[in-house]
Amino acid sequence: MKRALIVVDVQNDFCEGGSLPVFGGADVARRITELLHRWSAGGPDAPEYAVAVATQDHHIDPGHHFSAAPDFVDTWPPHCVSGSDGVAFHPNLDPEPFDAVFRKGEFAAAYSGFEGSDAEGVALADWLRRQEVTDVDICGIATDYCVRATTLDALKQGFGTRVLTDLCAGVQPGTSAAAIDEVRNAGAAVA
Ligand code: ZN
């Protein structure tokens, strides 16, 4: 077994102070950094990840994903626009340990990190298979949207999949709880 850590969309616009803030985002960023540093430091308490990667929502012109009158279900205020401060990783997240970063959503909504590709255009699932990854831990923002979609796609791609719920932040408590039930029913472990 080789396990990867996938950190979903821990970006300024999804944290407090951003254009589409998720309550608790900045704190999740800080705690994910603690996990990454425990991993990089090695030692007996280090999590056994073969690799760690991040995804980023990265919009150029995503069509009706953006709206001036968003419904916060299918349409959203502009966020994570290419070249803006909002698209950057939150300062509480140390990106140095990441082996690769996968961007998604340039010209259409893309909730799942598996829709993303790295700087060379390699899709996330292909990249993980090249590293002989069999299992993934998923955390980040938001539980009820991009974490949910990334987890469901990880299962579809055949990875043993676990969600680290205490390292996730959700838009709404109700939809976040429903998303956790949904991924558990789909076969994900919930830690
Ligand atoms: Zn988006």
Side-chain angles (χ1 to χ4, degrees):
M1 186 184 83
K2 273 180 99 171
R3 188 183 294 275
L5 177 69
I6 302 176
V7 177
V8 176
D9 295 12
V10 180
Q11 295 166 263
N12 283 326
D13 271 343
F14 295 139
C15 297
E16 291 84 347
S19 68
L20 185 43
V22 175
F23 180 75
D27 189 53
V28 156
R30 179 182 62 74
R31 288 185 287 114
I32 291 172
T33 294
E34 288 174 4
L35 177 72
L36 288 165
H37 286 176
R38 257 202 346 268
W39 173 58
S40 335
D45 295 338
E48 291 189 24
Y49 295 122
V51 288
V53 303
T55 70
Q56 283 186 324
D57 217 21
H58 188 95
H59 294 309
I60 296 170
D61 180 8
H64 56 69
H65 184 52
F66 285 176
S67 172
D71 65 9
F72 293 90
V73 177
D74 295 312
T75 59
W76 306 90
H79 59 274
C80 299
V81 173
S82 183
S84 70
D85 283 346
V87 79
F89 288 121
H90 190 272
N92 288 2
L93 180 72
D94 178 6
E96 206 279 326
F98 292 129
D99 295 290
V101 176
F102 295 82
R103 291 176 165 182
K104 60 189 173 65
E106 273 78 356
F107 298 104
Y111 294 99
S112 167
F114 284 89
E115 296 178 70
S117 51
D118 72 2
E120 278 81 50
V122 179
L124 175 56
D126 294 335
W127 189 93
L128 291 171
R129 288 200 189 93
R130 283 183 197 175
Q131 308 292 324
E132 301 177 328
V133 166
T134 56
D135 292 72
V136 296
D137 277 1
I138 297 173
C139 61
I141 307 171
T143 315
D144 30 357
Y145 291 93
C146 292
V147 170
R148 170 188 170 275
T150 302
T151 302
L152 292 173
D153 273 357
L155 290 163
K156 277 185 208 145
Q157 293 284 345
F159 295 104
T161 304
R162 185 163 69 179
V163 183
L164 308 179
T165 51
D166 60 342
L167 296 179
C168 293
V171 175
Q172 297 285 345
T175 48
S176 295
I180 294 302
D181 283 345
E182 183 183 7
V183 301
R184 190 189 279 119
N185 289 336
V190 174

